[in-house]
Amino acid sequence: MLLRINRRLFLPLIGLFASTAAMAEDVAPGWQPGFAIAPYGWLAGIDGDIGTASGDGGDGGLPDFVSVALDDDLDLIGFMFYAEWRGDRWLAFFDSVWANVARDGEIRLAGTLPLAEARAGIDGNVYQLSLAYRLAELGPGTIALYGGARYYDLEADVQFEDGILPQPVMLQGAETWTDAVAGARWDYRLNEKWGGVVLADVGFGESDTSWQLFATVAYRFNERGSVVFGYRYLALDYDTPEYLVDLALSGPAIGVGFRF
């Protein structure tokens, strides 16, 4: 279950984000003006609660709202795409995540559906667009602060079978919402071949809680290309009378970055 995060204590978060492209000589460590793109594959787990309105009204044995608790387990097909433009001081970047996660879970309303088995999942996209400003050098890298917006388009589904139910029941609910985002990133370079990691931010607006950590390590295999390894933790809590996602998606990622 997620810890509730007080967003006021996390503005701005200082963290790390690895440049996903080749790292050549530049004015500041880990900061090379130009364009970069990086697609990733993501293997992640899900931990938290998913719920949706049943539309049943109690007639078929279901309550008006059903919530399922999930424990962390790898069961994800995910994809991420990152793109950036970087100048001497300013940086604009776009980050997108698509995930389709499903997990066996435990019904929150004990006794409502005796012996029923539950499975819940999330399918959808998260998009982020941000503008950053490089403040200063820090060790082998540079610190930049950024702000922007994160848009969620997520469908939650809950499925029940066995128990008192004559046949499997699938419940679904979809929502879209937007948060403002504030955060920080550390772009660094260890040597001519290795660079790295990290970004942290917090969202505030329509979500009750929204924050993430994303760390990567990049190995440059030629002048323009890098292999990128990373780990992402994305937490979000959005709750309405008919829809609930209070969960974290986390796990390793691997991709290829190109700089132009």
Side-chain angles (χ1 to χ4, degrees), residues 198-210:
V198 217
L199 158 145
D201 64 42
V202 61
F204 49 97
E206 296 186 62
S207 294
D208 297 323
T209 300
S210 173

Side-chain angles (χ1 to χ4, degrees), residues 186-198:
W186 183 36
D187 294 79
Y188 69 81
R189 184 177 68 187
L190 297 176
N191 53 44
E192 292 300 316
K193 291 293 186 180
W194 292 94
V197 163
V198 217

Side-chain angles (χ1 to χ4, degrees), residues 8-210:
R8 295 178 182 176
L9 298 179
F10 283 81
L11 292 177
L13 289 175
I14 301 293
L16 310 166
F17 188 91
S19 174
T20 58
M23 305 218 177
E25 292 294 331
D26 48 27
V27 177
W31 190 278
Q32 180 185 351
F35 295 92
I37 61 172
Y40 296 82
W42 191 24
L43 177 64
I46 182 172
D47 182 18
D49 290 349
I50 294 176
T52 184
S54 67
D56 180 79
D59 294 338
L62 295 174
D64 291 334
F65 187 88
V66 179
S67 178
V68 174
L70 306 173
D71 294 325
D72 188 40
D73 191 24
L74 293 178
D75 192 6
L76 169 85
I77 299 173
F79 180 79
M80 296 185 286
F81 180 79
Y82 175 84
E84 71 173 27
W85 167 85
R86 189 186 306 226
D88 292 334
R89 284 282 179 180
W90 291 95
L91 179 151
F93 66 92
F94 170 79
D95 180 36
S96 67
V97 176
W98 171 80
N100 185 342
V101 193
R103 175 81 174 101
D104 293 335
E106 179 180 329
I107 302 170
R108 277 295 187 200
L109 302 176
T112 301
L113 298 172
L115 304 179
E117 296 181 359
R119 187 171 181 84
I122 283 288
D123 185 6
N125 299 276
V126 180
Y127 305 102
Q128 182 170 330
L129 183 63
S130 299
L131 180 66
Y133 181 77
R134 176 166 63 92
L135 291 180
E137 297 182 18
L138 179 63
T142 58
I143 283 286
L145 299 182
Y146 67 86
R150 186 156 53 227
Y151 175 79
Y152 303 86
D153 181 5
L154 299 176
E155 179 180 281
D157 63 75
V158 179
Q159 179 174 322
F160 301 98
E161 59 184 17
D162 299 330
I164 64 173
L165 300 173
Q167 60 185 6
V169 175
M170 172 69 79
L171 308 177
Q172 292 181 319
E175 292 283 345
T176 62
W177 70 96
T178 304
D179 289 331
V181 173
R185 53 184 286 165
W186 183 36
D187 294 79
Y188 69 81
R189 184 177 68 187
L190 297 176
N191 53 44
E192 292 300 316
K193 291 293 186 180
W194 292 94
V197 163
V198 217
L199 158 145
D201 64 42
V202 61
F204 49 97
E206 296 186 62
S207 294
D208 297 323
T209 300
S210 173

